[in-house]
């Protein structure tokens, strides 16, 4: 029998669960898109986006998903033939590199595998070998949503600084912003991209590119940028609609305004970081207990290299899809599929699944996800160790 009827929980790593107030904020007539309330609200949103990114520099808003701002960011930085270095720890950095390649850049990829963070010493070696500074930008994800790896962004900055290499440091925080600590200016990040539908708890459809003055200087040397992707009018509009190269995404903006208030002014960024860390630790504690006597295993071995927004799990091809389906059909929890983890010739998702614990999630929701997985392991006779829910509860008991 199915126990599914009730409030569903989409526990995939984006789109994430949205607060009811975010959804309700969109339930209203459209505002004037030239004057008044909307204009004031966008000004306040830009201030608050900078607070989340911890930057005093520029923030451009696009009507786009994450792929859109991947393209926007490289379109403002690269001329055809420019060289970029991609630090790959899974599916996502590669995708950004592919965007750069398709606009004519020469892309070199440093591969770090799928189970541990990018090694800054190898980055430094490549930068040191690039004596005439051909590499224009280093592209990296803070969190790779496919593997659950969290990269050490300050260590990347240190590698650039220690080798005296002038390349821009460009970081994808699409999965991590609002969940894992990130400080754009203090960490020396030149360009950062993110999107609305993960830690920012807003429907998919808004993307953001943050850039500092060094990146703005590089933009000035780019010969051709399409008018839609050009970030210059977006951050310095002559008329309000230039912010969006046309009609503003009115209702998404109302939603985002509500989400930023919840994140920054009601909970506070530090508290949100703590909540994500603790809930992630609870997930890992449960997974370690299950894995003590069975095939389940957290993909990233070192907890210091794990994201607080998403956990990727290995469970073996015979179990992954069955478990995901059972949990979805019986408990109302949708688990994330595996992405880019299996060898090229095997169906990707069968042996893996992911738990999204990003955004508007709290302790009881995470206990619900873990309890649902526990029920699935039991119902399907998948070997697993005991005490997973106790272990998660013990972590949460620390507050
Ligand atoms: C989700 C995600 C993307 C892609 O975003 P879309 O909105 O699906 O285009 C890119 N990078 C990371 C790290 C992500 O988590």
């Amino acid at each position: 029998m199915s126990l599914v009827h009730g409030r569903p929980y989409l526990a995939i790593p984006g789109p994430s669960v949205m607060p009811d107030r975010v959804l309700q904020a969109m339930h209203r007539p459209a505002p004037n898109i030239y004057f008044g309330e909307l204009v004031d609200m966008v000004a306040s949103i830009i201030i608050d986006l900078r607070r989340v990114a911890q930057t005093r520099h520029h923030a451009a808003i696009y009507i786009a998903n994450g792929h859109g701002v991947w393209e926007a960011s490289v379109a403002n930085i690269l001329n055809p033939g420019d060289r970029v270095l991609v630090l790959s720890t899974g599916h996502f950095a590669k995708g950004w590199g592919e965007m750069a390649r398709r606009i004519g850049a020469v892309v070199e990829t440093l591969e770090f595998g799928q189970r541990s963070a990018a090694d800054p010493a190898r980055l430094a070696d490549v930068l040191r070998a690039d004596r005439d500074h051909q590499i224009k930008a280093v592209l990296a994800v803070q969190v790779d949503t496919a593997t659950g790896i969290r990269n050490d962004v300050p260590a990347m900055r240190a590698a650039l600084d220690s080798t005296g290499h002038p390349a821009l440091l460009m970081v994808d925080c699409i999965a991590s912003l609002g969940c894992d600590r990130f400080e754009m200016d203090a960490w020396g990040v030149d360009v950062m991209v993110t999107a609305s539908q993960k830690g920012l708890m807003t429907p998919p459809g808004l993307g953001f590119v943050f850039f500092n003055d060094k990146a703005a200087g590089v933009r000035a040397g780019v010969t051709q940028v399409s008018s839609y992707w050009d970030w210059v009018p977006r951050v310095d509009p002559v008329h309000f609609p230039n912010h969006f190269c046309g009609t503003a995404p009115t209702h998404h903006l109302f939603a985002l305004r509500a989400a930023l208030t919840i994140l920054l002014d009601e909970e506070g960024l530090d508290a949100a970081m703590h909540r994500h860390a603790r809930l992630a630790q609870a997930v890992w504690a449960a997974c370690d207990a299950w894995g003590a006597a069975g095939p389940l295993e957290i993909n990233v071995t070192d907890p210091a290299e794990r994201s607080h927004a998403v956990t990727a799990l290995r469970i073996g091809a015979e179990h992954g899809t069955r478990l995901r389906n059972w949990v979805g059909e019986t408990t109302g929890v949708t688990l994330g599929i595996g992405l880019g983890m299996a060898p090229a010739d095997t169906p990707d998702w069968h042996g893996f699944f992911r738990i999204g614990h990003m955004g508007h999630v709290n302790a009881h929701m995470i206990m619900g996800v873990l309890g649902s997985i526990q029920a699935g392991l039991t119902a399907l006779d998948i070997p697993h160790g005991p005490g997973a829910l106790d272990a998660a509860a013990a972590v949460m008991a620390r507050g």
Side-chain angles (χ1 to χ4, degrees):
M1 287 297 282
S2 173
L3 307 174
V4 80
H5 294 279
R7 197 176 177 91
Y9 177 7
L10 188 63
I12 69 176
S16 64
V17 176
M18 291 174 279
D20 288 345
R21 268 167 54 211
V22 168
L23 296 169
Q24 286 153 5
M26 294 185 287
H27 216 120
R28 48 158 298 162
N32 187 336
I33 58 164
Y34 301 102
F35 305 103
E37 177 192 15
L38 182 71
V39 176
D40 297 340
M41 188 176 71
V42 166
S44 80
I45 283 174
I46 289 171
I47 289 169
D48 281 354
L49 286 170
R50 290 197 191 112
R51 287 169 67 197
V52 183
Q54 306 212 21
T55 182
R56 52 187 184 79
H57 295 293
H58 315 284
I61 308 175
Y62 291 86
I63 303 173
N65 62 12
H67 284 70
V69 287
W70 272 349
E71 180 151 337
S73 61
V74 291
N76 279 280
I77 290 297
L78 300 176
N79 285 308
D82 282 345
R83 305 188 80 90
V84 299
L85 181 65
V86 172
L87 309 185
S88 172
T89 50
H91 185 72
F92 282 90
K94 285 196 196 76
W96 200 5
E98 180 60 13
M99 287 274 177
R101 194 183 68 75
R102 290 286 295 270
I103 65 161
V106 178
V107 178
E108 184 187 341
T109 303
L110 255 186
E111 185 57 66
F112 296 94
Q114 301 192 318
R115 306 201 64 174
S116 55
D119 174 3
R122 280 184 59 205
L123 168 60
D125 288 345
V126 172
L127 294 171
R128 211 174 285 113
D130 180 33
R131 284 205 182 74
D132 47 356
H133 294 165
Q134 292 288 306
I135 297 169
K136 196 174 190 183
V138 173
L139 270 50
V141 294
Q142 183 183 23
V143 164
D144 191 294
T145 321
T147 56
I149 293 170
R150 177 161 48 87
N151 286 304
D152 185 346
V153 176
M156 294 172 187
R157 178 77 259 163
L160 283 155
D161 290 347
S162 72
T163 54
H165 199 292
L168 293 174
L169 178 58
M170 300 177 61
V171 179
D172 168 343
C173 293
I174 296 173
S176 51
L177 198 73
C179 310
D180 285 289
R181 189 165 295 285
F182 179 81
E183 301 175 26
M184 176 163 167
D185 292 356
W187 292 1
V189 173
D190 299 302
V191 177
M192 186 270 275
V193 300
T194 193
S196 54
Q197 79 271 22
K198 298 188 186 180
L200 297 182
M201 308 178 290
T202 299
L206 293 181
F208 312 96
V209 180
F210 298 82
F211 59 96
N212 65 12
D213 293 338
K214 180 177 173 185
V218 172
R219 161 68 188 86
V222 175
T223 46
Q224 204 170 22
V225 182
S226 73
S227 35
Y228 193 77
W229 291 134
D230 192 358
W231 68 32
V232 174
R234 287 184 188 255
V235 301
D236 192 15
V238 178
H239 305 293
F240 178 77
N242 302 142
H243 265 304
F244 302 100
C245 200
T247 304
T250 49
H251 289 69
H252 274 76
L253 292 167
F254 286 118
L256 179 63
R257 179 59 274 163
L260 290 169
T261 298
I262 291 169
L263 176 62
L264 291 169
D265 300 324
E266 295 176 13
E267 182 174 23
L269 211 46
D270 283 340
M273 297 297 122
H274 172 78
R275 173 171 54 86
H276 280 88
R278 191 62 91 228
L279 296 177
Q281 288 157 1
V283 169
W284 306 337
C287 293
D288 285 342
W290 287 321
L296 191 129
E297 188 192 354
I298 302 175
N299 180 55
V300 181
T301 335
D302 181 353
E305 298 182 347
R306 290 179 192 155
S307 167
H308 297 160
V310 53
T311 297
L313 296 150
R314 306 175 159 255
I315 193 168
E318 66 275 39
H319 300 308
T321 298
R322 278 173 76 223
L323 178 67
R324 231 177 359 86
N325 287 346
W326 189 93
V327 169
E329 286 158 16
T330 314
T331 77
V333 171
T334 304
L335 298 168
I337 59 167
L339 216 54
M341 301 264 281
D345 52 349
T346 43
D348 201 22
W349 43 84
H350 290 323
F352 307 89
F353 67 96
R354 293 175 298 159
I355 304 173
H357 33 88
M358 53 175 58
H360 191 58
V361 290
N362 61 16
H364 84 75
M365 295 163 76
I366 296 300
M367 285 309 276
V369 171
L370 297 174
S372 298
I373 294 171
Q374 170 82 41
L377 293 169
T378 305
L380 299 175
D381 257 333
I382 299 173
H384 59 279
L389 300 181
D390 283 346
V395 172
M396 289 178 183
R398 287 153 55 197

